[in-house]
Amino acid sequence: MLALRLVRGSHPLVQLRRLLVAAAAAGVGFLLLCTLGYAVGHPEHSSASVLRLLWCALPIAATVQFAVAVARTDPATRPRPGLSSIGLGPARLTAIAATSTAVACTLGSMVALLVYLHLRGDITGLPFDGAAAGLLAAGQPLPLAAALTLLAIVPVAGATTAGLALRPRTRTPAPEGSARPVPTGLPWGVALIAVGLAVETYAGRGGGDGVALPGRFDGSPAGVLAGWILTAAGLALAGPGLTHLSGRLLQAARPGAVRLLAGRVLMDEAHRIGRPLGVVSAVLSGALAAATVHAASDGGTAFGPLTGLGAGVVVACTTATLLTASLESRQGRARTTEALARIGAPPTVLRTAALLRAAALLAVFLPLTWLIGELAALPLTA
């Protein structure tokens, strides 16, 4: 009840972010229900149904990541002085954040169920002259228990992940005179990217049984899919290290005050915005590879509506997660910004530093994203 009251009394922008989480959960829930409808309508194609269900893992992961990012920036769950005296300590606030996430995701899942039942004709008859009847297995009985189980995946995963990410931690103070916490995932990320590209190249040249990838890329061997997954995981793992490296590059060659400020901020925020940047880079490189393969096939690989919905959910959620992490980073720098304003720093200094940070990140991530996308598509187009 307290979580619902906090949700109702939040700022409109906070409410908008929660509604975006609900919209993402609705998109994923609709994909899961369509997968269930395909399994009901094609019982002889059980392997294809399992593969469709596995492909829903990408939109689910993107939605859960976005839900956690929104929960981290929620002012209602931020520890403040005096809350512990009324029973709102860190553990209780974590429970409220998990509950709020579960409420938003459940709302989206219920909307997905209503839309799915409406398009099947189970509520008011078949709409759109029955255009979606074959896709949604209209006329076949829908197993309610299976549908509710699938719809519960996103709320349960989102609430659990939000609770784990925001749980109270006992922090050990850093030794006096120690350097900043440098991200250690860059070497492992580079290694995963190299292994993923090698696996994909080997599988693409060696051939093998095709996997029914989204968009009907039926001739792609299973090893190519494994290579894409390893490459994407490597980019996500290397994101914080690349962000930290961007900050160091900004401070190279006798920097001035603005470059020094921009570089230090990037180094401090490497863990917070580096992982979402790596995930966005992985998504964009995958989209570039898919577009390259589609162009090389002379339009022979048609993208279906569910493929477009799943891709749209992934792109929208990862982009929104990056923007939300940037907002969280800005909130964390509020005291530093106020201190700079008190000592007379002009506003143009902060704006120039922000532009330099954006330029440095684009200079590092854009060429890497393009290169990996081209290399990922090369085995399938050669």
Side-chain angles (χ1 to χ4, degrees):
M1 186 61 66
L2 178 60
L4 292 177
R5 289 181 179 178
L6 290 174
V7 166
R8 187 180 60 183
S10 299
H11 191 274
L13 290 179
V14 178
Q15 299 282 27
L16 177 61
R17 291 199 293 268
R18 289 171 179 157
L19 287 177
L20 290 177
V21 172
V28 175
F30 188 79
L31 285 175
L32 291 171
L33 290 176
C34 289
T35 301
L36 177 61
Y38 180 85
V40 170
H42 304 81
E44 69 280 2
H45 298 157
S46 58
S47 58
S49 301
V50 173
L51 186 61
R52 285 170 176 254
L53 184 62
L54 290 177
W55 274 113
C56 293
L58 295 178
I60 290 174
T63 302
V64 170
Q65 183 195 25
F66 178 44
V68 172
V70 170
R72 292 176 67 95
T73 57
D74 194 340
T77 59
R78 192 176 304 150
R80 292 184 294 274
L83 290 182
S84 298
S85 60
I86 60 174
L88 292 178
R92 185 73 179 277
L93 290 177
T94 300
I96 291 175
T99 304
S100 301
T101 303
V103 168
C105 294
T106 303
L107 175 62
S109 297
M110 292 300 101
V111 171
L113 180 60
L114 291 176
V115 172
Y116 183 78
L117 293 177
H118 174 66
L119 292 179
R120 275 173 48 93
D122 295 336
I123 298 179
T124 58
L126 283 174
F128 307 114
D129 297 329
L135 183 64
L136 306 181
Q140 298 287 338
L142 183 69
L144 183 60
L148 294 180
T149 301
L150 290 177
L151 290 177
I153 292 177
V154 175
V156 172
T160 303
T161 309
L164 292 175
L166 299 178
R167 71 186 187 277
R169 294 181 176 88
T170 302
R171 296 186 178 181
T172 304
E176 188 174 349
S178 61
R180 297 176 180 270
V182 178
T184 57
L186 183 57
W188 295 102
V190 172
L192 274 180
I193 292 173
V195 171
L197 292 175
V199 169
E200 183 184 351
T201 302
Y202 179 79
R205 291 180 178 178
D209 296 333
V211 176
L213 301 178
R216 303 172 188 170
F217 296 131
D218 298 326
S220 304
V224 174
L225 173 60
W228 277 4
I229 293 176
L230 288 176
T231 303
L235 278 172
L237 188 60
L242 292 173
T243 305
H244 193 273
L245 177 62
S246 302
R248 285 191 174 275
L249 292 177
L250 273 178
Q251 301 174 76
R254 304 172 70 176
V258 178
R259 279 204 295 144
L260 188 63
L261 176 62
R264 289 300 176 91
V265 169
L266 278 183
M267 292 172 64
D268 288 338
E269 302 297 333
H271 288 283
R272 186 171 294 171
I273 66 174
R275 188 63 55 82
L277 268 173
V279 173
V280 170
S281 179
V283 171
L284 291 180
S285 64
L288 178 60
T292 304
V293 174
H294 178 71
S297 63
D298 296 329
T301 54
F303 292 93
L306 297 183
T307 301
L309 176 60
V313 169
V314 172
V315 172
C317 286
T318 51
T319 305
T321 301
L322 177 58
L323 295 176
T324 306
S326 302
L327 175 62
E328 183 186 6
S329 175
R330 182 180 179 181
Q331 293 174 350
R333 298 194 309 269
R335 293 184 178 179
T336 303
T337 304
E338 293 175 0
L340 289 174
R342 281 197 304 268
I343 64 176
T348 54
V349 171
L350 299 177
R351 288 196 292 266
T352 305
L355 291 176
L356 283 177
R357 291 197 302 271
L361 292 175
L362 289 176
V364 171
F365 279 92
L366 276 185
L368 180 65
T369 301
W370 175 82
L371 178 62
I372 291 179
E374 291 292 331
L375 291 176
L378 188 60
L380 298 179
T381 56

